[in-house]
Amino acid sequence: MDIFGIKALLICALIFIPFEHLFAERPQKVFRKGFAVDLIYLLFNGLIIKLAIVMMAAGALGAAALLVPQAITQAVSGQPVWLQVAEIIVITDIGVYWTHRAFHKIPALWKFHAVHHGIEELDWLGAFHNHPVDAIVTKAISLTPIFFLGFSEASMAIFFIIYLGHTLLVHSNVRIRFGPLKWLIAGPQFHRWHHANQREAYDKNFAGQLPFLDMLFGTYNVTGDKVPEKYGVDDPIPSTYFGQFGYPLRRRKLPDRAAPNTEA
């Protein structure tokens, strides 16, 4: 059993490393700053998050058996798989949007999310660069309704594959535009402007997959084809995995970019 996801890592690397080389948004080395730390995030965070999802699923399914009428779960799981997948994407991304926004707005939560924003060179591997607390809370809120409603195992398996591939894509260092579909499907341009360490990018583009949620709630950042000048946060993030793990527990005064913007 590949509990650390080594096979998945190799497959993703074989896809995204050549892709980023051929269609690079900006010049960047494969073994860029923080590459080794992000491998640790992928391997160990992946294991922690998998265990957390299994426990969440078990708890949610047990509670659903007691609280949700069987007629509802049967109706949901009886839908065509493609429709279930579409519904899962919408439901989970609403959860991701509001959880993500809370991690920016609430100072105690931002300390954990700032670890992800500490990435200074963005690529596909950076998608795994999340503090475990950030990742687990986001998945708990976004996935619990899916387990409660009784979506089929097949639809959830397809969703997880789509979600992984899309998450790697939006973090990747590739120049790709979705044209008129950019409001419907999040692309690298949409998400890199969430990571930009520039005033016009602060607290924008919270959706994981569906940018129209940001349009609906007034947080969409229209950037055209501009490339951010820089990524990261002003507060220096430790360079090691364990340093970053303990970073949110440090007592310190947060500078402008490290502190959430309290404006709507």
Side-chain angles (χ1 to χ4, degrees), residues 8-240:
L9 167 62
L10 293 175
I11 292 172
C12 292
L14 288 173
I15 294 172
F16 280 95
I17 290 177
F19 196 46
E20 289 185 328
H21 177 73
L22 293 172
F23 304 101
E25 178 67 84
R26 61 171 69 198
Q28 189 169 285
K29 296 178 180 179
V30 172
F31 298 104
R32 43 79 178 167
K33 180 180 179 181
F35 184 90
V37 172
D38 287 350
L39 280 179
I40 297 174
Y41 272 103
L42 187 156
L43 298 173
F44 291 100
N45 270 22
L47 177 60
I48 294 170
I49 293 168
K50 286 175 186 176
L51 293 174
I53 290 176
V54 169
M55 289 188 289
M56 284 187 287
L61 291 173
L66 298 174
L67 302 174
V68 182
Q70 193 174 31
I72 292 178
T73 57
Q74 289 178 341
V76 170
S77 62
Q79 300 176 105
V81 171
W82 67 265
L83 181 57
Q84 291 185 61
V85 173
E87 291 169 349
I88 292 173
I89 290 173
V90 173
I91 293 170
T92 56
D93 214 41
I94 291 173
V96 167
Y97 175 89
W98 286 109
T99 307
H100 194 177
R101 191 164 176 173
F103 268 97
H104 275 252
K105 294 294 184 180
I106 301 173
L109 294 180
W110 169 254
K111 294 177 183 179
F112 292 96
H113 191 57
V115 171
H116 182 61
H117 276 270
I119 302 171
E120 296 180 0
E121 294 184 276
L122 210 58
D123 66 6
W124 67 279
L125 193 59
F128 300 99
H129 188 116
N130 293 283
H131 195 283
V133 171
D134 182 356
I136 291 172
V137 170
T138 299
K139 292 190 182 301
I141 293 174
S142 62
L143 292 176
T144 296
I146 303 307
F147 298 130
F148 256 85
L149 291 172
F151 286 93
S152 68
E153 292 183 6
S155 64
M156 287 192 286
I158 294 171
F159 163 73
F160 283 124
I161 293 172
I162 293 173
Y163 179 82
L164 174 61
H166 191 217
T167 300
L168 299 183
L169 176 64
V170 298
H171 286 88
S172 63
N173 178 36
V174 296
R175 179 183 268 299
I176 183 173
R177 305 289 183 264
F178 289 167
L181 293 179
K182 65 182 181 181
W183 64 272
L184 179 62
I185 305 173
Q189 178 73 356
F190 171 84
H191 195 67
R192 66 173 56 102
W193 274 98
H194 175 73
H195 275 268
N197 189 6
Q198 296 171 223
R199 178 61 60 181
E200 66 269 31
Y202 293 174
D203 298 336
K204 300 292 184 181
N205 297 1
F206 292 116
Q209 296 181 279
L210 306 173
F212 69 79
L213 293 175
D214 284 283
M215 297 179 73
L216 180 63
F217 297 116
T219 52
Y220 185 75
N221 184 25
V222 180
T223 58
D225 289 336
K226 288 200 309 180
V227 178
E229 295 175 7
K230 61 177 181 176
Y231 304 115
V233 292
D234 292 335
D235 194 27
I237 305 291
S239 60
T240 66

